[in-house]
Amino acid sequence: MPKGNTKDHSIIKLKGVGPKIAQSLSILGIELIEDAVFHLPYRYEDRTEITKISDAPYELPIVIEGEIIKSTLIFRGKRMLITEIFDGSGRITMRMFNFAFAQHKNLKEGYFIRCFGAIRHGRNGKEMIHPQYSVFSKEEPLAIEKNLTPIYPLTSSLQQGRMRRIIQGALLYCEQKNLLKEKWEKNSENNFDNLLGALAFIHNPPADADIDMLASGQHPAQRKLIKEELVAHILCAGMLKRETEKRRGPSMKVSSSKEKEFIDSLGFVLTEAQDKVWSEIKKDFNKETPMRRLLQGDVGSGKTVISALAALQAKQNGYQTAFMCPTELLSEQHYENISNWFSKLDIKVDILLGSTKAKDRKRVLEELSNGVTDILIGTHALFQEDVIFSSVGLTIIDEQHRFGVHQRFSLLEKGGSAKQSPHQLIMTATPIPRTLSMTVYGSLETSIIDELPPGRIPVKTFSRPNSMRKKVIKRVEEVCLEGQRAYWVCTLIELSDELEAQAAEELFKEISDQIPKIKVGLVHGRLKKDEKQQIINKFRKGQIELLVCTTVIEVGMDIPEASLMIIENPERLGLAQLHQLRGRVGRKANTDSNCLLLYKDPLSPLAQERISTMEKTNDGFEIAEKDLELRGGGDIHGLKQSGLMNLKIANPVRDSDLLESAQKEAFSIAKNNKSQAKILIDRWIGTGQDYSDA
Ligand code: ADP
Ligand code: MG
């Protein structure tokens, strides 16, 4: 989204948005009021009709409404709030386990209640557990929803209702300020006047809109947006490509005299694929134009060494390297590896994170600007204005599986005045399907590491329902007693470090209680950096045998001795993330490793398909293709999990039929309408500081 300095449009100006909410919104990439209208629903609920209790089907989301007959607190091991509802046709019980005292007080006999949820068979007939509900009086009846109810991706500190109000406010704001209203051509496929009209429809589809079509991204309002997004990405790729051709790259022709010494010190030989890729990069260094190279290689294929070799050559030629990572943990891991490798070679590696203390930060920046530092590793903290390199010649971006982050970065970097721009090496663990590389990665040359280091045995993957949990825990105990090391990964749906930490702590307690013989450790995102590092080091040394953790370990964690991973609630995660997590095991030559997906019944068909894909294959390419295929269509695994973070609505596999026409349109806009090109790139890609640490 366009970020820039447009303080006037800052989301905090919107009614009902204070600093705290603004902060939550910022996690979702919403900084400006316009950003909010691009925060799109991932599914809809139909609450436009009230069903009679007597006719109500089981297990389907529906709305019922009736009088509160009785509301009582009972204790059955647990505290419960039981509310009886009668609508003239039948009775239903609402059962709640988590509630506040005020909720009980509000459920007064004689008042009316409207509930949205699914009915199940309870002890005394039909019941709903924890439905969403509103209480009202006979005198002031509730209006029924006129539109389908959009459901948005959230962070834990926001709720759907609040998000809806914010987005409605943002739509109104754009309407009043005449934003996003350039005229559109109407045709048989599209009858919206402008972008804002299509967005308003997507946020408020009328009751008779086709909910299946909307859920699968096929509605004309969505298709129009999808196409525009694809056009924007194609335009951006083309622009970056032309820009690169105009610029000069820093001269990095001299091979490092320390190259051999470095490789010899590694304790392994480079694979053929690594050799090949390294020579491709060296060729780029020999050209006049800056390198723009995408290095693809599956998890564990050894990309880090290659990036180190590139940084070494930059240093030899008198240049610094900026090394950007998507998370703090990954930055730390890279920092540890690379500074270890380079300690003997008299090369100074440093790290800068959002969490770096002011005093350290000052030193880091000083040493960077006066050229003491050769390589600076860090998160989006490297983007900030006061981070000044004395002579940066190479930027390395480790995107992991978050496609397309580099485009934003490149747009920013362009801001410099010089005709020279640094060489760029972008690394990704997920091979990019062709449909995507055409759009998002169109401006890059590609290299592929298509073999794993020798002796790696593919991880065997199994799945078991949670009902077998006790057995699984016992089995983990046995395995650990035999000397193996294991991860137990706890996953949450919501984007919240705090909730995740809580869940991990509970899990830690459960497991430690059941297998007291095993040394169990715990890491989550809420721990301090040092604490985290300490625990990870213990695990590395074997002083901890079982590491209970959140998905913070997803990237970068490199402990070859760990050979078993349990992933709890894998149904909550996307394929890319599951594959990435699984890549933490199977890292030691000639060692069998296993991954167990401990899922919660019943699985949705899509979750089932993801899990069976994981069981069937270890091939990152296949998984990436499947991932794209399964995405969209009522299936979102939270923003954090979305590998396609940078695509707001398009799914290049699902929408591949639009690619050709998008390309034509992009071509024509690039040729005839430069200002429109700029608007679209700003709108869909933007140059904001969104290399976020999510
Ligand atoms: P990724 O491509 O996922 O970033 P890494 O660079 O983290 O992979 O490498 C995974 C592990 O394999 C590391 O422990 C690394 O030291 C090791 N490694 C890399 N290249 C080789 C090689 N050619 N032979 C043996 N081990 C290697
Ligand atoms: Mg890596």
Side-chain angles (χ1 to χ4, degrees):
M1 289 302 94
K3 300 268 153 56
N5 299 320
T6 36
K7 283 231 171 60
D8 295 350
H9 300 250
S10 164
I11 189 76
I12 204 154
K13 301 264 152 128
L14 203 64
K15 214 175 128 222
V17 179
K20 236 184 111 199
I21 290 188
Q23 204 186 357
S24 305
L25 290 170
S26 140
I27 296 176
L28 297 168
I30 302 172
E31 311 268 352
L32 300 183
I33 297 178
E34 291 109 297
D35 296 343
V37 300
F38 283 95
H39 192 67
L40 302 175
Y42 63 92
R43 65 182 179 89
Y44 296 90
E45 285 169 358
D46 187 349
R47 305 186 192 176
T48 61
E49 256 175 85
I50 296 172
T51 308
K52 274 195 201 154
I53 294 176
S54 58
D55 300 346
Y58 287 86
E59 308 294 348
L60 286 176
I62 49 161
V63 182
I64 54 115
E65 179 176 298
E67 191 177 339
I68 298 173
I69 304 299
K70 201 162 99 189
S71 184
T72 38
L73 275 179
I74 60 165
F75 294 86
R76 287 268 182 321
K78 260 190 209 159
R79 203 173 66 127
M80 275 187 254
L81 177 55
I82 304 287
T83 306
E84 305 280 335
I85 302 163
F86 178 67
D87 76 346
S89 81
R91 277 169 190 272
I92 189 166
T93 307
M94 171 168 88
R95 190 185 295 273
M96 296 203 288
F97 302 100
N98 300 308
F99 50 89
F101 177 67
Q103 277 175 290
H104 180 207
K105 228 177 76 185
N106 283 337
L107 291 164
K108 284 199 200 89
E109 284 159 33
Y111 276 72
F112 285 76
I113 184 167
R114 183 178 296 163
C115 302
F116 177 80
I119 298 184
R120 42 162 259 167
H121 297 275
R123 219 171 280 166
N124 308 311
K126 289 182 172 171
E127 69 176 26
M128 274 190 185
I129 296 184
H130 277 280
Q132 294 174 39
Y133 71 86
S134 319
V135 176
F136 57 97
S137 66
K138 198 170 190 163
E139 293 72 46
E140 289 172 89
L142 271 186
I144 185 85
E145 300 281 342
K146 283 201 202 62
N147 298 321
L148 299 180
T149 305
I151 309 293
Y152 296 103
L154 295 177
T155 68
S156 60
S157 45
L158 283 167
Q159 267 152 7
Q160 291 295 344
R162 166 93 67 175
M163 185 58 109
R164 269 178 225 130
R165 283 193 298 277
I166 291 170
I167 290 173
Q168 293 307 323
L171 283 168
L172 192 65
Y173 178 91
C174 291
E175 181 66 45
Q176 286 164 350
K177 301 266 169 184
N178 241 346
L179 297 170
L180 307 171
K181 289 180 85 167
E182 313 129 50
K183 264 238 161 309
W184 271 356
E185 232 176 88
K186 286 198 194 183
N187 57 34
S188 55
E189 266 248 306
N190 160 50
N191 54 17
F192 295 95
D193 292 325
N194 51 42
L195 182 61
L196 193 62
L199 284 166
F201 182 91
I202 291 171
H203 289 295
N204 300 296
D208 62 354
D210 187 331
I211 202 167
D212 293 329
M213 212 179 201
L214 281 165
S216 56
Q218 297 299 314
H219 194 280
Q222 293 165 313
R223 296 267 292 173
K224 184 76 191 170
L225 262 77
I226 289 166
K227 173 133 168 232
E228 197 183 280
E229 181 170 38
L230 291 172
V231 169
H233 277 274
I234 296 168
L235 278 170
C236 182
M239 190 193 82
L240 291 175
K241 193 164 186 142
R242 281 192 303 282
E243 198 61 43
T244 303
E245 282 158 4
K246 275 195 289 195
R247 279 161 183 257
R248 293 181 63 85
S251 175
M252 304 230 296
K253 298 195 166 79
V254 184
S255 280
S256 174
S257 53
K258 289 178 178 159
E259 184 177 320
K260 190 173 173 314
E261 190 184 337
F262 169 62
I263 294 176
D264 287 346
S265 75
L266 286 171
F268 51 73
V269 263
L270 296 186
T271 60
E272 243 172 74
Q274 284 171 316
D275 265 333
K276 186 187 80 207
V277 163
W278 173 226
S279 66
E280 285 165 355
I281 292 171
K282 284 218 264 195
K283 257 188 221 140
D284 288 348
F285 285 163
N286 268 306
K287 292 184 189 151
E288 302 298 322
T289 50
M291 168 172 81
R292 292 284 182 267
R293 187 165 287 278
L294 176 68
L295 173 53
Q296 303 183 25
D298 209 346
V299 194
S301 62
K303 297 183 291 294
T304 320
V305 187
I306 302 299
S307 62
L309 279 164
L312 192 61
Q313 181 144 338
K315 156 78 177 168
Q316 175 77 37
N317 289 275
Y319 288 106
Q320 294 168 304
T321 296
F323 193 137
M324 211 124 14
C325 307
T327 67
E328 297 214 337
L329 198 73
L330 183 58
S331 308
E332 280 155 19
Q333 193 83 41
H334 277 321
Y335 172 68
E336 203 165 299
N337 271 330
I338 294 175
S339 52
N340 233 337
W341 282 335
F342 284 168
S343 60
K344 285 161 266 159
L345 301 179
D346 193 28
I347 291 174
K348 164 88 173 152
V349 187
D350 214 339
I351 181 166
L352 183 69
L353 304 172
S355 62
T356 303
K357 293 203 189 74
K359 195 175 100 229
D360 296 332
R361 184 182 161 85
K362 190 159 167 266
R363 181 202 47 83
V364 172
L365 293 183
E366 248 167 48
E367 294 185 356
L368 184 71
S369 61
N370 56 32
V372 173
T373 303
D374 298 310
I375 303 173
L376 183 63
I377 300 176
T379 52
H380 60 300
L382 302 194
F383 270 139
Q384 282 148 7
E385 246 171 85
D386 58 342
V387 179
I388 298 161
F389 288 79
S390 67
S391 58
V392 63
L394 171 66
T395 53
I396 297 168
I397 306 177
D398 196 350
E399 290 195 344
Q400 291 298 326
H401 54 286
R402 296 180 52 193
F403 301 130
V405 182
H406 76 279
Q407 287 205 350
R408 285 187 174 210
F409 174 72
S410 303
L411 289 174
L412 265 189
E413 178 252 338
K414 229 174 53 65
S417 59
K419 287 245 173 339
Q420 176 171 306
S421 21
H423 298 284
Q424 240 182 61
L425 179 65
I426 294 117
M427 305 198 288
T428 171
T430 310
I432 314 297
R434 264 182 49 82
T435 38
L436 246 194
S437 58
M438 233 174 89
T439 47
V440 182
Y441 283 93
S443 64
L444 305 173
E445 308 285 329
T446 48
S447 290
I448 303 179
I449 305 185
D450 53 5
E451 82 185 295
L452 294 177
R456 297 279 173 86
I457 301 173
V459 182
K460 285 202 196 70
T461 304
F462 312 88
S463 64
R464 294 284 180 275
N466 200 29
S467 53
M468 294 181 63
R469 188 180 185 80
K470 282 232 157 73
K471 268 200 195 135
V472 171
I473 296 179
K474 274 289 157 211
R475 181 72 197 129
V476 170
E477 176 179 39
E478 285 167 26
V479 165
C480 287
L481 287 173
E482 285 163 16
Q484 290 193 41
R485 253 167 272 168
Y487 296 99
W488 191 302
V489 188
C490 156
T491 60
L492 265 198
I493 314 171
E494 300 222 68
L495 266 168
S496 154
D497 276 358
E498 196 167 310
L499 287 178
E500 206 165 57
Q502 259 177 31
E505 266 163 31
E506 276 166 32
L507 179 66
F508 171 73
K509 212 172 152 308
E510 176 197 351
I511 294 178
S512 328
D513 284 353
Q514 288 188 39
I515 46 175
K517 277 186 244 165
I518 304 300
K519 283 167 267 171
V520 189
L522 170 67
V523 281
H524 55 64
R526 271 302 169 105
L527 292 183
K528 291 216 184 71
K529 214 164 75 187
D530 303 351
E531 292 174 301
K532 225 186 298 179
Q533 211 52 56
Q534 244 178 24
I535 293 166
I536 290 170
N537 283 342
K538 278 191 176 166
F539 185 55
R540 191 187 303 281
K541 290 188 206 139
Q543 293 158 353
I544 285 173
E545 296 153 308
L546 174 63
L547 188 67
V548 173
C549 51
T550 60
T551 51
V552 294
I553 62 133
E554 174 184 351
V555 288
M557 199 74 147
D558 188 22
I559 299 178
E561 287 72 27
S563 57
L564 172 65
M565 172 173 283
I566 318 291
I567 303 177
E568 186 137 355
N569 301 115
E571 69 277 2
R572 291 171 177 171
L573 303 185
L575 268 176
Q577 199 182 14
L578 285 169
H579 180 60
Q580 190 76 26
L581 272 172
R582 179 173 62 182
R584 301 305 112 208
V585 293
R587 300 190 145 233
K588 195 172 174 190
N590 310 314
T591 306
D592 285 318
S593 303
N594 294 290
C595 175
L596 183 94
L597 306 172
L598 189 59
Y599 63 85
K600 180 160 174 267
D601 257 333
L603 285 175
S604 75
L606 279 170
Q608 212 152 21
E609 202 159 342
R610 288 199 297 269
I611 287 175
S612 74
T613 304
M614 288 295 290
E615 288 177 311
K616 267 191 270 192
T617 181
N618 274 283
D619 179 341
F621 193 86
E622 236 178 285
I623 288 173
E625 289 274 358
K626 195 78 191 169
D627 190 30
L628 276 173
E629 184 192 314
L630 295 181
R631 258 166 212 286
D635 173 49
I636 195 159
H637 358 282
L639 269 190
K640 197 178 193 173
Q641 286 89 351
S642 149
L644 303 172
M645 193 88 169
N646 235 30
L647 290 170
K648 294 177 188 309
I649 181 165
N651 170 338
V653 169
R654 181 192 66 194
D655 309 320
S656 59
D657 61 319
L658 288 175
L659 273 171
E660 205 184 305
S661 65
Q663 215 154 17
K664 273 198 198 123
E665 191 172 320
F667 187 74
S668 137
I669 292 175
K671 205 165 141 218
N672 306 318
N673 196 345
K674 296 242 158 34
S675 62
Q676 176 68 359
K678 188 175 172 317
I679 290 175
L680 292 183
I681 292 173
D682 260 5
R683 176 176 299 159
W684 290 97
I685 298 150
T687 52
Q689 27 44 318
D690 194 27
Y691 199 79
S692 68
D693 208 4

